[in-house]
Amino acid sequence: MTISQDPPDGEVVDRVRSGDRAAFAVLVRRHGGIARRTAAVLGAGADTDDVVQEAFVKAYRALASFRTDAEFRPWLLRIVANETRNHRRSTGRRTARETAALPPVTAGTDETTRQHEDLELFRTQVGALPEPQRLVVACRFLLDLDEAQTAQVLGISRGTVKSRTHRGLARLRDVLTDAAEGVRHGRT
Amino acid sequence: MAERDDDPVRAGLARLSAALRVDPPPDELVSTVDARIAMLPVPAPRSGLRLHVTRIADRLRRHRRAAIAIAIALLLGVLAVSPAGARIAEWLGIGAVQIQQEQSPTIGPPDTAAADGFTQLTLDEARARAGFPLVIPGELGPPTRVLIGPGDAVVSAVWADGDPASPGSGAVRFDQLAGQPDYAAVKKYAQDIEFTQVHGQDAFWLRVPHPLVYVDPTGLERTERSRIAGPTLIWLDGPVTMRLEGVGAKERALQIARSLG
């Protein structure tokens, strides 16, 4: 996603670890966008910026344990995901449920009002999935992470990613079918 | 991967993904983070010969923090048993630590732990994946199974037939957990704990059943809800926390702990 990968993350990490604190800014700039999107999509809501900031500070502190042969981004996003979860937990269950689980959608230029409403509705339906399924669906389809990356970011096994994806999609399919039935019976 | 374009759910998710409005991070993110990390120590990896003296001092300090982290968790465990416990914990400002009282715990065998994100692999594979050097207690011989936990932060070795010195005594499990001390394995709900030592380091002997709780290197607290642990010895070896579960006698557990190699 980021085009300028020069110098590579691994080299920047090495510089930070050898005491070049300013080099960490390269990582913050490079991955700040995806970190923020991840926090927002996983449900950080109004506290997204706090979560991102906290995650970067934690990442710096944990940098000693980062294995330079690994990819930096999923490692960072794991911390972002944990921080989002901790945050949602600490704000309390009810608040977490009331908080919109997904960021708002923009209206496309060539989009009809009806299409936009449908998308809004779909957004709420995805946000209303049970948390384990919602997180997996968000990682796979809204952050475009593959199964292995999703497993790493959420700290679960690939098998669990598979089964939760399957259940989440099945549930959304049911919801869409119900809505379509509703349209046939109700609106026409 | 095989995308089905005709699937309205996947198509809907693709549209949603494109339409979600997420602003870029604020300009001050870089400077705020920089200001906050300015007072933190350099996150140098703890390996190599560099800064040997600092490492030893650092290790001592980390050990003490680990002991405190475990002690607090144990204290909370004791507090949680009394009705006022939760309030006292709140007063201590440790509200982030979740306390749940388990109803009528039953002791699960230590070899049923393939749940909760653990996957089975060979000892060599585990050595390659774990971010720390693995050790196996010589007293127990080769393990029956080796499991690796979420984030490769925990490696568990299981002896299904138990301690060869006392046949028929039930399975034994040996866990090695990576991470900085505040992320080390912690135990809760201990009503009976004995302080002891392994190789001069503080160790804890827990005789009573207790749920197993640990915090992984990224700071996430995990509870193995699938089972309640039996008698356990916990001790620290450098940045790694060790726990040995399923050996009923303390002296024998200590003997096994000293046979690491």
Side-chain angles (χ1 to χ4, degrees):
Chain A
M1 257 169 267
T2 312
I3 296 155
S4 104
Q5 283 290 338
D6 197 45
D9 287 344
E11 269 176 40
V12 182
V13 168
D14 280 341
R15 271 164 52 194
V16 177
R17 284 164 152 188
S18 58
D20 180 2
R21 198 188 77 230
F24 194 68
V26 175
L27 298 172
V28 179
R29 271 195 214 97
R30 193 174 281 171
H31 301 288
I34 186 67
R36 195 175 189 284
R37 185 174 167 93
T38 302
V41 161
L42 297 183
D47 301 312
T48 300
D49 285 323
D50 291 345
V51 166
V52 170
Q53 192 196 108
E54 203 57 45
F56 273 113
V57 173
K58 284 205 171 145
Y60 178 83
R61 286 167 55 181
L63 213 56
S65 66
F66 174 73
R67 283 162 48 194
T68 30
D69 56 337
E71 265 189 276
F72 180 76
R73 176 169 285 185
W75 180 84
L76 171 73
L77 296 188
R78 167 100 191 259
I79 299 176
V80 173
N82 286 348
E83 201 51 39
T84 306
R85 184 170 0 201
N86 291 345
H87 199 84
R88 279 174 69 82
R89 256 189 212 162
S90 67
T91 53
R93 250 163 228 278
R94 191 184 298 162
T95 329
R97 214 181 298 131
E98 282 165 3
T99 312
L102 288 172
V105 294
T106 42
T109 42
D110 54 349
E111 199 179 48
T112 64
T113 315
R114 175 64 197 286
Q115 281 172 326
H116 185 66
E117 281 171 9
D118 283 352
L119 198 58
E120 260 304 331
L121 179 65
F122 189 58
R123 178 183 81 98
T124 1
Q125 287 159 347
V126 175
L129 284 174
E131 176 142 320
Q133 295 169 25
R134 179 175 61 77
L135 296 178
V136 169
V137 167
C139 284
R140 294 283 285 106
F141 302 102
L142 304 180
L143 297 173
D144 287 323
L145 301 177
D146 64 24
E147 272 176 12
Q149 290 165 333
T150 302
Q152 189 187 349
V153 168
L154 297 179
I156 54 182
S157 72
R158 281 185 73 163
T160 308
V161 171
K162 265 197 215 328
S163 61
R164 286 183 187 169
T165 307
H166 185 76
R167 280 203 299 273
L169 292 180
R171 190 182 278 249
L172 288 173
R173 210 160 281 137
D174 287 347
V175 171
L176 282 189
T177 315
D178 288 350
E181 299 275 318
V183 169
R184 254 207 306 285
H185 297 299
R187 288 203 205 171
T188 49
Chain B
M1 75 177 283
E3 291 290 356
R4 283 161 291 171
D5 293 335
D6 55 335
D7 181 347
V9 172
R10 283 172 190 262
L13 285 166
R15 270 204 309 280
L16 182 61
S17 178
L20 284 180
R21 198 179 70 229
V22 182
D23 297 328
D27 292 340
E28 65 269 22
L29 176 66
V30 172
S31 56
T32 317
V33 169
D34 191 61
R36 288 189 58 191
I37 64 176
M39 48 203 106
L40 296 173
V42 171
R46 285 179 263 280
S47 59
L49 297 168
R50 206 160 46 94
L51 299 172
H52 193 63
V53 177
T54 321
R55 268 186 62 211
I56 291 170
D58 195 39
R59 184 177 282 197
L60 285 172
R61 204 187 65 229
R62 282 184 291 124
H63 272 196
R64 200 165 58 210
R65 282 169 57 202
I68 292 166
I70 291 173
I72 288 174
L74 291 167
L75 173 69
L76 280 176
V78 177
L79 289 175
V81 179
S82 72
R87 249 178 301 136
I88 296 171
E90 208 175 346
W91 177 73
L92 285 169
I94 330 177
V97 179
Q98 270 193 325
I99 299 181
Q100 291 155 327
Q101 194 118 27
E102 304 277 334
Q103 295 298 315
S104 56
T106 47
I107 302 174
D111 60 341
T112 56
D116 281 359
F118 278 84
T119 45
Q120 190 170 345
L121 69 185
T122 67
L123 186 57
D124 285 338
E125 285 164 349
R127 280 190 207 283
R129 267 174 68 175
F132 50 94
L134 291 186
V135 287
I136 291 293
E139 286 281 335
L140 294 175
T144 327
R145 295 201 295 154
V146 177
L147 305 157
I148 196 156
D152 297 351
V154 193
V155 175
S156 301
V158 175
W159 287 261
D161 298 327
D163 181 2
S166 48
S169 56
V172 168
R173 174 171 159 172
F174 174 56
D175 294 336
Q176 297 169 72
L177 296 90
Q180 294 164 16
D182 18 354
Y183 306 149
V186 297
K187 294 280 190 172
K188 291 181 179 175
Y189 314 103
Q191 293 157 64
D192 191 353
I193 175 183
E194 233 177 279
F195 291 84
T196 174
Q197 289 211 320
V198 174
H199 292 307
Q201 301 288 351
D202 282 339
F204 307 90
W205 171 247
L206 287 94
R207 203 158 36 77
V208 295
H210 50 275
L212 177 60
V213 177
Y214 66 94
V215 180
D216 79 11
T218 56
L220 183 66
E221 188 176 299
R222 295 177 178 279
T223 309
E224 275 196 53
R225 295 183 195 286
S226 49
R227 69 196 181 88
I228 304 288
T232 299
L233 181 70
I234 300 175
W235 71 103
L236 298 155
D237 183 5
V240 181
T241 301
M242 313 270 182
R243 62 180 295 279
L244 177 70
E245 175 190 344
V247 178
K250 187 181 97 179
E251 287 314 316
R252 176 62 185 157
L254 285 169
Q255 193 180 5
I256 293 170
R258 291 185 192 115
S259 74
L260 289 178

